[in-house]
Amino acid sequence: MTSDDTVAVSGSPTIATIASETGVSPTTVSKVLNGHSDVAPETRARVEASLERHRYRRRGRRQPVATAQIDLVFHEFDSAWAMEIISGVEAVANAATVDVVLSQLRGSHSPTRAWLDAVLARRPFGVLFVLCHLTSAQRQRLHRQRVPFVVIDTDSATSASVPTVGSNNWNGGLIATRHLLDLGHRRIAIVSGPHEVLCSQARVAGFRSAHDEAGIPVDPGLVRYGNFHVVAGYEHGMELLARADRPTAIFAGSDMQALGVLRAARRLGLDVPGQLSVIGYDNLPVAAWTDPTLTTVNQPLRDMAGTATRMLLDLAGGVDLSTSRIDLVTELVVRESTAPPAGGR
Amino acid sequence: MTSDDTVAVSGSPTIATIASETGVSPTTVSKVLNGHSDVAPETRARVEASLERHRYRRRGRRQPVATAQIDLVFHEFDSAWAMEIISGVEAVANAATVDVVLSQLRGSHSPTRAWLDAVLARRPFGVLFVLCHLTSAQRQRLHRQRVPFVVIDTDSATSASVPTVGSNNWNGGLIATRHLLDLGHRRIAIVSGPHEVLCSQARVAGFRSAHDEAGIPVDPGLVRYGNFHVVAGYEHGMELLARADRPTAIFAGSDMQALGVLRAARRLGLDVPGQLSVIGYDNLPVAAWTDPTLTTVNQPLRDMAGTATRMLLDLAGGVDLSTSRIDLVTELVVRESTAPPAGGR
């Protein structure tokens, strides 16, 4: 029986009084007070009525009880993409009866010292970082504190000692571009994510590799970096499509960016896919419901999240990981937004 | 100085040894071991090198430390809608230095006994329930355990004693329908959420009130209940629009449902808004980027979440709430998907 932190307010009855009045043991009264479920309903009702009558007051604030928890930290909450990750993490954590504490860094890719202090003080079972960069000093602090962590997708060149789950961005860039080249496109623009995020560079590298493979030159004016949001797709789309020698296909860095590109095409009176092909990236649920539906690269976000969570639980349990980086496969999902260029090959 | 739970593995040095070897106090060595940040970098490096050399091992598992946390519980994780709520809650909780523990009930609207047992054992600061129904017995358990809770939107008829934050669903149904009637529509279908969720019924009631106001009868065949997802919008849309006496406008229960309706219209060769007007509900970010962009009812999800979190923190702090139910205002956001019916009024 755990020690009971309740005490009667002076002048009020004690647990012993309640017990004697209701004809149950003090242990049973304490069980009712602590909300344990193994008390017969009629007994509980009798005890609670007695507690109510005596206006029994628990002393002070409830003391929270620490349980096994993992921290899930996002660089920022980005709507549907983040929700896929959250779902994948929660599913595995829930099955392991581990709680998930959710937070975000409000757009910053690196946690602050204060943030790390607070997390270390709490001693979580482990931490999952999504699109965050940890400095070497921060990684050492976590390591010294025996707080395991896993990074979900971002830096394709993380140190071998940082457990990472990603998806094959280079392959994603390659297969999307091959699809467009196979359809006959020769002027293909790519609007990738931020230049400093290496997954953007990996996709552009895949884009270039596909061109090399086909012996087709890349026009540097058609290679753009932005961010992964809708507006960047719209702005780059408007600018690219307003050119006299506009591209016949645009490979956007995300499905949300692709929505922006679709809007730009609509604004300029260009039919998709009749006059312009568009490919997105991620395969978010909305990609199946746009007009036209979006050809895109499937990023298995829930699987990545689930895999990262299992890796983290293994690390927390003292299991040595056989490999520190796992990249899940990216696959092309062909829908309505891509077709041969107008006028054929 | 907190008691140090480290102990040297037999045959290995103690903190005193490390301290003496590195010329610092045992307190400083302990600070480095516990990851405290107020140690000069060069001192820390020296101590850590010494610890490494001696292969200093912390005893046993890290003990998690309990902190103030609130539980945020969803009936299910529904992509962008849930993300808006999560963002709103996290913003307020973060400012109050309270952690957010996230979970879902996997589609069930009521927590199980086991779930409640686990949460009560953890003694959170409070619980936020999203689209969940608590039985009277469950509410009493939480109350008895002094675990405050707030419900975010769902049952328009919750007991006055259940702190609730919602949005005015009846008003949302009213203003959307008025907009369509004002445009000249006389055969308007409504596809609402599940019948058993009262916010669906409140919106249908608003739909009916707008018709009463305008003296126009409602065709019962045009009143449908489904769920809030895309496929329900598509299926109801296909069925409604295939009728010879099809509606000239469809008021969908959510933006995601509206996407499904737009797909059905496209499939049947109907131009929106030229031949069919469509209104959504929620004003999710994607509503501004569909084709056509979606007229919808703004549900201030982040504000609702922030308000509910503030209410919960007040309750947890012992503040008496002056009112137990707050409904935030719903407003119409007019975009491209609504227009007068073909052929005019």
Side-chain angles (χ1 to χ4, degrees):
Chain A
M1 186 67 215
T2 57
S3 72
D4 198 324
D5 65 338
T6 58
V7 80
V9 172
S10 76
S12 302
T14 62
I15 285 184
T17 315
I18 304 287
S20 132
E21 188 183 272
T22 53
V24 302
S25 68
T27 299
T28 298
V29 176
S30 191
K31 276 187 178 179
V32 171
L33 277 169
N34 284 301
H36 291 286
S37 52
D38 55 335
V39 176
E42 62 277 6
T43 305
R44 179 189 308 280
R46 204 160 79 240
V47 171
E48 287 189 352
S50 172
L51 289 164
E52 228 10 273
R53 265 197 314 275
H54 291 283
R55 299 186 179 288
Y56 192 93
R57 290 277 175 270
R58 183 179 284 280
R59 166 175 62 185
R61 169 154 296 182
R62 299 167 294 293
Q63 290 309 309
V65 170
T67 55
Q69 299 183 330
I70 56 178
D71 268 76
L72 171 58
V73 188
F74 285 85
H75 112 270
E76 72 183 4
F77 285 154
D78 180 11
S79 209
W81 193 96
M83 204 63 228
E84 294 289 301
I85 299 278
I86 288 170
S87 297
V89 170
E90 193 273 344
V92 173
N94 180 65
T97 60
V98 171
D99 298 319
V100 178
V101 177
L102 186 65
S103 61
Q104 57 141 336
L105 303 180
R106 297 181 154 56
S108 166
H109 281 284
S110 283
T112 59
R113 155 146 263 153
W115 185 92
L116 204 51
D117 284 348
V119 170
L120 287 173
R122 203 169 4 93
R123 295 270 178 84
F125 215 52
V127 184
L128 284 168
F129 290 98
V130 184
L131 292 187
C132 299
H133 301 284
L134 297 173
T135 64
S136 166
Q138 290 173 328
R139 295 200 301 265
Q140 284 174 33
R141 271 189 83 191
L142 286 162
H143 180 72
R144 169 54 60 193
Q145 290 306 305
R146 302 281 199 269
V147 175
F149 63 92
V150 173
V151 175
I152 293 176
D153 192 42
T154 161
D155 201 319
S156 307
T158 42
S159 149
S161 64
V162 179
T164 306
V165 177
S167 64
N168 197 322
N169 287 302
W170 178 80
N171 183 64
L174 180 79
I175 59 180
T177 309
R178 268 184 184 164
H179 171 65
L180 293 170
L181 290 167
D182 288 349
L183 286 171
H185 292 277
R186 292 295 175 263
R187 281 188 62 68
I188 305 170
I190 179 168
V191 184
S192 197
H195 192 275
E196 64 274 13
V197 178
L198 283 191
C199 69
S200 311
Q201 296 191 32
R203 293 177 201 178
V204 171
F207 168 85
R208 292 187 190 285
S209 297
H211 279 80
D212 287 348
E213 203 180 37
I216 293 171
V218 171
D219 175 349
L222 298 183
V223 177
R224 305 301 177 87
Y225 291 91
N227 59 49
F228 289 113
H229 303 309
V230 193
V231 176
Y234 177 73
E235 290 175 346
H236 280 290
M238 286 300 284
E239 201 268 316
L240 286 163
L241 297 171
R243 297 165 55 140
D245 56 343
R246 68 170 182 79
T248 60
I250 296 181
F251 174 15
S254 67
D255 290 340
M256 296 314 290
Q257 249 194 29
L259 283 190
V261 172
L262 288 177
R263 164 69 58 81
R266 225 175 291 137
R267 180 63 61 86
L268 296 169
L270 291 170
D271 177 73
V272 178
Q275 295 171 284
L276 174 76
S277 283
V278 180
I279 292 191
Y281 203 104
D282 283 336
N283 196 27
L284 293 177
V286 72
W289 295 94
T290 50
D291 176 27
T293 55
L294 208 52
T295 294
T296 183
V297 177
N298 183 60
Q299 192 158 212
L301 297 171
R302 286 195 193 204
D303 286 347
M304 285 162 57
T307 299
T309 308
R310 273 182 227 102
M311 275 175 77
L312 184 66
L313 295 177
D314 280 349
L315 285 172
V319 174
D320 268 329
L321 297 182
S322 52
T323 181
S324 70
R325 169 141 198 151
I326 293 176
D327 282 314
L328 300 192
V329 70
T330 43
E331 293 178 290
L332 187 68
V333 181
V334 179
R335 294 199 180 91
E336 297 169 349
S337 63
T338 49
R345 293 163 184 265
Chain B
M1 185 69 215
T2 57
S3 72
D4 198 322
D5 66 338
T6 59
V7 80
V9 172
S10 74
S12 302
T14 61
I15 286 184
T17 316
I18 305 286
S20 129
E21 186 183 276
T22 52
V24 301
S25 68
T27 299
T28 299
V29 175
S30 191
K31 276 188 178 179
V32 171
L33 278 170
N34 284 303
H36 290 285
S37 51
D38 56 333
V39 176
E42 61 278 5
T43 305
R44 182 191 305 281
R46 204 160 79 241
V47 171
E48 287 189 352
S50 173
L51 289 164
E52 230 7 277
R53 265 197 314 276
H54 291 284
R55 299 185 180 286
Y56 193 94
R57 290 277 175 270
R58 184 181 284 279
R59 166 174 61 185
R61 168 154 295 183
R62 300 165 295 292
Q63 290 309 309
V65 171
T67 53
Q69 301 184 328
I70 57 177
D71 267 76
L72 172 57
V73 188
F74 284 86
H75 112 270
E76 71 182 9
F77 285 155
D78 181 8
S79 209
W81 193 95
M83 204 62 228
E84 293 289 301
I85 300 278
I86 288 170
S87 297
V89 169
E90 193 274 343
V92 173
N94 180 66
T97 60
V98 171
D99 299 319
V100 178
V101 177
L102 184 66
S103 62
Q104 59 142 335
L105 302 181
R106 298 184 152 55
S108 167
H109 282 283
S110 285
T112 59
R113 155 147 260 154
W115 185 91
L116 205 50
D117 285 348
V119 170
L120 286 172
R122 202 168 8 89
R123 292 272 178 84
F125 213 53
V127 184
L128 284 166
F129 290 98
V130 184
L131 292 186
C132 299
H133 300 284
L134 296 174
T135 64
S136 166
Q138 291 173 327
R139 295 201 298 265
Q140 285 174 33
R141 274 188 83 192
L142 286 161
H143 180 73
R144 168 56 58 192
Q145 292 305 308
R146 301 282 199 268
V147 175
F149 62 95
V150 174
V151 176
I152 294 177
D153 191 42
T154 161
D155 201 317
S156 306
T158 42
S159 150
S161 64
V162 178
T164 306
V165 176
S167 63
N168 197 323
N169 289 300
W170 178 81
N171 183 63
L174 180 79
I175 59 180
T177 310
R178 267 185 186 163
H179 172 66
L180 293 170
L181 290 167
D182 288 348
L183 286 171
H185 292 277
R186 292 296 175 262
R187 280 188 62 69
I188 305 169
I190 178 167
V191 185
S192 196
H195 192 274
E196 65 275 11
V197 178
L198 284 191
C199 69
S200 310
Q201 294 191 33
R203 293 177 201 177
V204 171
F207 169 84
R208 292 186 190 284
S209 297
H211 279 79
D212 286 348
E213 206 180 36
I216 292 170
V218 170
D219 176 349
L222 298 182
V223 178
R224 307 298 177 89
Y225 291 91
N227 58 51
F228 290 112
H229 304 310
V230 192
V231 176
Y234 177 73
E235 289 175 346
H236 280 291
M238 286 299 285
E239 202 268 316
L240 286 162
L241 298 172
R243 298 164 54 139
D245 56 344
R246 68 172 183 79
T248 60
I250 295 180
F251 174 16
S254 67
D255 290 341
M256 295 314 291
Q257 249 194 27
L259 283 191
V261 172
L262 287 178
R263 164 69 59 81
R266 226 175 290 139
R267 178 64 61 87
L268 295 169
L270 291 170
D271 177 72
V272 179
Q275 296 170 284
L276 174 75
S277 284
V278 179
I279 292 191
Y281 203 104
D282 283 336
N283 197 25
L284 294 177
V286 72
W289 297 93
T290 51
D291 177 28
T293 54
L294 207 53
T295 295
T296 184
V297 177
N298 183 60
Q299 193 159 212
L301 297 171
R302 286 194 194 206
D303 287 344
M304 285 162 57
T307 300
T309 308
R310 271 182 229 102
M311 275 174 80
L312 184 66
L313 296 177
D314 280 350
L315 285 172
V319 173
D320 267 331
L321 297 181
S322 52
T323 180
S324 72
R325 169 141 198 151
I326 294 175
D327 282 317
L328 301 190
V329 70
T330 43
E331 293 178 291
L332 186 68
V333 180
V334 179
R335 293 200 180 93
E336 298 169 347
S337 65
T338 48
R345 292 161 186 270

